[in-house]
Structures are given as C-alpha cells and as structure tokens.
Amino acid sequence: MKHLITTALALAAAPAAAQTAPAPGPKVTYIHAGQLLATPGQAPRGNSTIVVRGGKVAEVRDGFVAPADGATLIDLKDRYVLPGLIDMHVHFYSSGYPMKSRLDGSGKDKEDAFVDAANAARATLLTGFTTVRDLGAPEPRGIRALRDAIARGDLEGPTIVNAGRMISVTAGHGDANGLKEDYAHAERADADHLCNGPDDCRRATREQIFTGAQVIKFAASGGVGSNIAGGLEAQMTPEEMKAIVDTAHAFGRKVTAHAHGKSGIDGALRAGVDSIEHGSFIDAETIALFKQKGAYLVPTMHAFESVIRQGRAGERPPASVAKAEEVAKVVKDSHRRAIASGVKIAFGTDSGVGPHATNALEFGYMTAVGMAPAVAIRTATVDAAALLGRADRIGRIAPGMDADIIAVAGDPVADVARLNSVDFVMQGGTVRKQAGERALFPARD
Ligand SMILES: [Zn+2]
C-alpha cells in the first residue's frame, strides 16, 4: 500500500519536474578532418567528420557534416587526423639525463620525483601520445597515484598502464648497482622486486601486482644502463622466468621482458612472455621463436641512440658505456632483420633513458632500418593497442572507440618526421592541445 502511495505522489509531482531544465546529455563534438587515417595500415579516408559523444567516437561520416544543434565544431580541414599514439615503454620517474639525475637524485625526495614524473607525463601527452606503458618506476606507489590522477582528470597525461618495479635477480639489471654500500642498502630497503629462485620470483611478481602493477616486467638479461659489468646475456634461469610469466598470466597480467643478449631473449620467449623490450642480439633462431610464440618486439631505438650519444659525451658511467658500444655494433642489424622477416613490432622508446616528449623520433629510427612509414604508424596505434589487450578501445578511430585523436599538418605517411610536430591532441573527448598552441613543457636541450 505504501508503495502505491509513493507512486501516486511521484506521478502528481511529474508536471512540476517536467518544467525544470532537462539533464544535459553527453557533450557532442564534430571534428572536420581534411584527411583521416582512421585505421593506420589502411588507406586514409579523405574529407571526413568524426562525431564524438561522451568521450567516445560515436560516428565517422564521409565529407564535412554540419554539426547538430548544441554540438561543438573543431575545424581540422587543413590537417591530417589520426588516432592518439601509444608508447609501450616509458619511465616517467627517470629524467633522460643520467649524470645530472644521479647528482640531483641524492637531494630529491619522492614528492619531488612525483612532480617531475607528472611534468614528464603532461609533456608526453602534448606531443600526441595518449597512452603509454610505464615499465618500471622506483616509486611504484607514485606511478599508480599518477595513473589514477590522470584517469580521474585531476592531472594531464597519457593513460598509463603501469608495471610497478622491474623484477630482477640480485646483482641483476634491476638491483641497486654501483652505489656505495650504505646507499645501496638504503635503496634496497624495500626491494620487493629482487628475487632468486622460482618460488621467490613468484613472490616478487605477486608483490608488484599487490602494489598495483597492470603489467609485469622483468629483467631477463643484463642491461646497458645499469652500472655493473654484468654483461648482456641471460641473468635469470629458465625456471625463474617461467615462474614470473605463469604467475602474472594467472593474475590476468601481460608480461614483458627486458632482454638484450640472445640467451636472455630466447629464454624469455620460451618462458612465454608477451613482448621483448630492446632485443639487441637477434638471429634466425630468435626470429623463429618470436614467430612461433606470437610475441612482440619493442625495439626502443630511441634509447639506444640516447645511450650511445650520452656515453660518448661522458654522461654515463664506464660500465654502462662499454655495454652501449657493444650493443651499438649489432642492434640496427638485429632490428632490420626482425622487421624484414615479419616479427610483430610494437612502438616503444624507453623515454626516461633519453629525454621525454621526443618519443616520435622513434618513427624516424624505425623507417631508417627498413620499416615502411605506414607500418611504423601502425606499430604505435593498432599494434600497440593489440599488445596492451585494448584493441577494442584504442588505436583506431571508429564508433565505440575512445576519442583519443591527434592531428598534424601534412601527410605523416609520406614523412614520419611530421609526427614530431603534433599540434592537436584530444584525449577521451577532451581537447588537450589546440592547433597552433605550443607545448608548455620547460624547454630543454
Ligand atoms: Zn626501460
């Protein structure tokens, strides 16, 4: 009975409610695109209209369609429009200036480091990268806070898929190498990412997931950047790698392995990783393994270029320079071979090793070793989205996809260097950068 009365009262009140303004619907934006590369790897569509509703692409129509009543119009008729770019390998907590940050680091607390990371994230977004994987931060709680702040819209930056800390063996690429002992002990005080033996590596994987990691990264081999003469070959046993991969997959996380030397790459592929970062030493057997497993290579040539340049300029410690020179001799041939033989490639820079907000330089490095420009753009959109497991949300401009949309003047398929000058960025339907505006990141060399 009470229910009926409530309903009657509600009905009686209905006319009054109808007189108040209707609740506003989702924001609608029409984008007039001179050229539209809706699905990188396919032909562009020519004059098109993208209708964005509530942060998603609602429609893509041929020609320039007049906006509906109340909708906003964005005129990109003289621009080449494409999906927001995706970088599979950045480190927002690193600066890209190794010696300077080593000195700065001793005077910076984690609050200072968070501000630097937030600035790097914003600068990266403004160059057209609307999604990144952050593959290892000294402050996993900080990168998670940054990820969540960006997702809420409290801070500007790309959508972050975070790895927490890189899992490593003791004395491996992820340990606190090359510091005086009391500093090293301080660095290792909460080292939940160091593991030895399969059981311990299962624990380290679960620790990263506990701290909020959405993807797991481990150091299968030595690394160029670590200040230890530990070589570049496998540092983990096959059992340790398999323990990490199986544990991460059981929790629904993808796994990527930092690997330079052949034994590290092959071991990680056999253990079942979803991708390999760097991949410096690649031969025919390694290529066959990539294909058999369906794993992606993330070449990070941006980092190699930076490390070699920094090493020769005396900006890296000697143990790191020696490894950089060793890699420099072979890495371009390795990547050229992998690309020519059809290994799946996803775009990644390792920015943080080199300077942030120069990610698009990677397109030039990829085409220099034989990748077609259209394919290079596909690796940073369609292919990266597939490796992330988000191909249904990002990487293309089509109905139902997130409205992550960028624009450049001129055809980037004819000249990939144009992607160094992205001058329009929309993220989830919100304009982050207008054509003609400059990035507001403090200028560095
Ligand atoms: Zn890295």
Side-chain angles (χ1 to χ4, degrees):
M1 194 60 198
K2 189 165 183 261
H3 172 74
L4 285 175
I5 292 168
T6 309
T7 307
L9 284 173
L11 284 171
Q19 284 163 16
T20 60
K27 185 172 150 49
V28 180
T29 306
Y30 281 52
I31 300 171
H32 287 170
Q35 276 286 7
L36 176 61
L37 190 62
T39 303
Q42 297 179 9
R45 290 175 57 119
N47 292 175
S48 304
T49 301
I50 307 163
V51 183
V52 175
R53 189 176 292 127
K56 297 262 184 194
V57 175
E59 289 176 72
V60 180
R61 296 166 67 179
D62 292 330
F64 299 135
V65 178
D69 279 354
T72 306
L73 175 66
I74 295 174
D75 181 358
L76 297 173
K77 288 199 201 74
D78 60 351
R79 288 291 192 276
Y80 202 106
V81 176
L82 63 158
L85 302 170
I86 306 168
D87 189 327
M88 302 306 290
H89 192 147
V90 306
H91 301 278
F92 283 147
Y93 266 81
S94 304
S95 76
Y97 296 87
M99 288 309 236
K100 185 171 177 298
S101 57
R102 228 170 136 76
L103 291 172
D104 281 0
S106 59
K108 282 195 173 179
D109 286 307
K110 57 186 170 191
E111 292 81 358
D112 305 308
F114 180 87
V115 173
D116 289 347
N119 270 331
R122 179 164 185 272
T124 301
L125 173 67
L126 294 179
T127 59
F129 286 80
T130 49
T131 302
V132 302
R133 274 198 317 196
D134 189 289
L135 287 190
E139 297 293 343
R141 187 62 188 87
I143 203 75
R144 184 175 123 205
L146 182 58
R147 175 196 80 189
D148 293 346
I150 289 168
R152 285 193 306 269
D154 292 344
L155 291 176
E156 285 193 335
T159 301
I160 294 174
V161 178
N162 62 311
R165 282 168 149 171
M166 175 174 68
I167 298 168
S168 166
V169 294
T170 295
H173 179 50
D175 201 351
N177 300 301
L179 298 171
K180 63 185 266 187
E181 275 187 38
D182 45 358
Y183 288 177
H185 285 311
E187 284 281 318
R188 281 167 142 202
D190 58 349
D192 60 12
H193 62 301
L194 297 179
C195 67
N196 297 282
D199 272 350
D200 198 28
C201 288
R202 271 188 275 275
R203 175 204 51 79
T205 307
R206 291 172 183 142
E207 294 282 4
Q208 302 317 305
I209 294 168
F210 176 75
T211 319
Q214 294 174 316
V215 60
I216 294 298
K217 183 199 188 189
F218 69 90
S221 81
V224 174
S226 43
N227 189 13
I228 183 169
L232 293 166
E233 291 301 325
Q235 291 184 335
M236 278 189 180
T237 65
E239 294 76 19
E240 286 167 334
M241 294 193 214
K242 186 145 188 349
I244 293 170
V245 171
D246 290 351
T247 304
H249 284 170
F251 277 85
R253 263 65 168 182
K254 300 227 182 189
V255 189
T256 196
H258 155 106
H260 288 285
K262 175 179 164 59
S263 58
I265 302 169
D266 291 4
L269 288 170
R270 288 196 178 98
V273 293
D274 300 285
S275 53
I276 295 285
E277 309 298 315
H278 317 307
S280 305
F281 297 83
I282 291 178
D283 63 10
E285 184 187 17
T286 303
I287 286 171
L289 262 176
F290 263 110
K291 291 186 163 180
Q292 182 199 329
K293 297 287 189 177
Y296 285 78
L297 170 65
V298 182
T300 69
M301 293 181 234
H302 187 283
F304 291 112
E305 298 285 340
S306 298
V307 166
I308 291 163
R309 190 183 60 243
Q310 291 157 354
R312 290 177 185 166
E315 292 173 349
R316 284 198 165 264
S320 173
V321 174
K323 289 184 283 188
E325 293 291 353
E326 191 188 335
V327 163
K329 289 183 213 147
V330 297
V331 67
K332 284 189 180 169
D333 282 341
S334 284
H335 292 158
R336 187 187 300 278
R337 221 174 287 134
I339 289 164
S341 60
V343 168
K344 291 202 278 187
I345 308 279
F347 182 102
T349 59
D350 210 353
S351 290
V353 172
H356 289 289
T358 61
N359 313 54
L361 290 172
E362 185 81 8
F363 290 109
Y365 302 140
M366 288 172 130
T367 53
V369 292
M371 185 179 275
V375 176
I377 296 170
R378 201 187 69 204
T379 68
T381 50
V382 174
D383 299 336
L387 173 53
L388 279 178
R390 297 189 180 191
D392 58 339
R393 285 184 48 194
I394 55 173
R396 291 181 296 125
I397 298 174
M401 306 292 279
D402 290 357
D404 291 351
I405 295 167
I406 65 168
V408 288
D411 181 358
V413 179
D415 178 8
V416 285
R418 292 188 195 280
L419 292 166
N420 292 305
S421 313
V422 169
D423 64 0
F424 172 84
V425 180
M426 172 182 271
Q427 182 191 35
T430 300
V431 176
R432 301 295 186 189
K433 186 182 190 181
Q434 297 277 9
E437 244 180 30
R438 280 176 54 83
L440 300 175
F441 193 59
R444 290 186 184 163
D445 58 306

